[in-house]
Amino acid sequence: MIKPNLRVVVLISGSGSNLQALIDAQIPNLDLAAVISNEPHAFGLERAQRAGIATAVLSHRNYSDRASYDADLQRLIDQYAPNLVVLAGFMRILTATLVEHYRGRMLNIHPSLLPKFQGLHTHERALAAREQEHGASVHFVTAELDGGPVIAQVRVPVLPNDDADILAARVLAREHQLYPTVVQWFTEQRLALGADGRAWLDGAPLLHPQILM
Ligand code: GAR
């Protein structure tokens, strides 16, 4: 029996290098249905167009409140009938209504070893805290900002002469391995958000994030 493709919508705000990693990974049975950006000049839109993926822009600047933006965003996403929504550098806080609508089918990548350093400026904060290790996490999105159950992480060392840019680049290179791996688990139906609020992999709840080597 031929398996139907899993339809994925990717949300971006900027460079889209994680989007590029998903394109390059050529994950079997995965259909990148659309890329949506809140920023009209996001370079990731060009990456999508080059790969022949549909693109759409919904600028938050035309909205006075978050609820009406997110209502339109949800309508736009749903036009592509996704099985999975992938936040890849989408730099907006989402309303609980939108997040609930995509419960169990929305992933985010965050540049820290969650639960450490939720929010912005994670690399600067890791340096200021004199962390010896830093990294990135992929998690299911829940209403709590950067607080949903973590599925998998990559770790990198913090080196003596690092500044935030050097550290960010080291983390980003590993993000490009992390996100396609987790998205592939989802397409293979190995991954789900359980009713217990935990991430489940291969039929068992994850008590700790998977660490990718
Ligand atoms: C990535 O480092 C991602 O983890 C981060 O934005 C960058 C996007 O890069 N996301 C967040 O900070 C979300 N809170 P990209 O556009 O090149 O994929």
Side-chain angles (χ1 to χ4, degrees):
M1 204 174 78
I2 299 171
K3 267 201 199 157
N5 277 354
L6 186 110
R7 293 173 61 79
V8 177
V9 169
V10 183
L11 269 54
I12 61 162
S13 299
S15 160
S17 70
N18 276 293
L19 164 67
Q20 189 69 55
L22 287 168
I23 294 169
D24 293 344
Q26 301 192 10
I27 298 168
N29 303 112
L30 184 145
D31 176 10
L32 290 169
V35 172
I36 298 173
S37 174
N38 65 310
E39 293 287 356
H41 303 297
F43 181 61
L45 290 168
E46 272 184 57
R47 297 182 191 269
Q49 283 155 8
R50 264 191 243 147
I53 302 167
T55 59
V57 173
L58 188 65
S59 173
H60 56 280
R61 295 190 179 85
N62 303 330
Y63 291 80
S64 55
D65 68 293
R66 197 174 291 282
S68 51
Y69 178 82
D70 275 14
D72 278 2
L73 180 63
Q74 185 178 314
R75 265 191 288 276
L76 178 60
I77 294 170
D78 284 348
Q79 282 177 18
Y80 299 98
N83 307 100
L84 177 68
V85 178
V86 167
L87 307 181
F90 188 63
M91 302 306 279
R92 285 191 55 83
I93 293 171
L94 299 170
T95 57
T97 310
L98 183 130
V99 167
E100 192 49 42
H101 180 71
Y102 298 108
R103 189 183 189 282
R105 52 189 182 116
M106 182 179 265
L107 300 175
N108 182 43
I109 191 160
H110 182 77
S112 79
L113 294 173
L114 290 171
K116 286 186 177 174
F117 309 120
Q118 300 173 340
L120 297 175
H121 309 300
T122 57
H123 310 299
E124 289 86 343
R125 288 158 61 206
L127 288 171
R130 299 185 177 280
E131 296 286 331
Q132 297 191 341
E133 228 180 15
H134 186 43
S137 308
V138 171
H139 64 93
F140 278 110
V141 176
T142 62
E144 191 195 335
L145 179 68
D146 299 327
V150 178
I151 301 156
Q153 296 179 321
V154 286
R155 295 178 177 165
V156 303
V158 180
L159 300 177
N161 292 324
D162 280 353
D163 62 22
D165 289 342
I166 293 172
L167 184 55
R170 191 177 304 126
V171 172
L172 191 61
R174 297 297 313 282
E175 289 184 40
H176 299 159
Q177 174 201 8
L178 174 63
Y179 222 173
T181 301
V182 175
V183 169
Q184 181 156 357
W185 291 344
F186 196 91
T187 64
E188 292 168 346
Q189 300 183 346
R190 296 174 56 192
L191 181 65
L193 177 60
D196 58 357
R198 284 206 161 113
W200 283 57
L201 184 66
D202 295 332
L206 285 176
L207 304 181
H208 306 285
Q210 299 289 103
I211 307 296
L212 300 193
M213 290 303 154

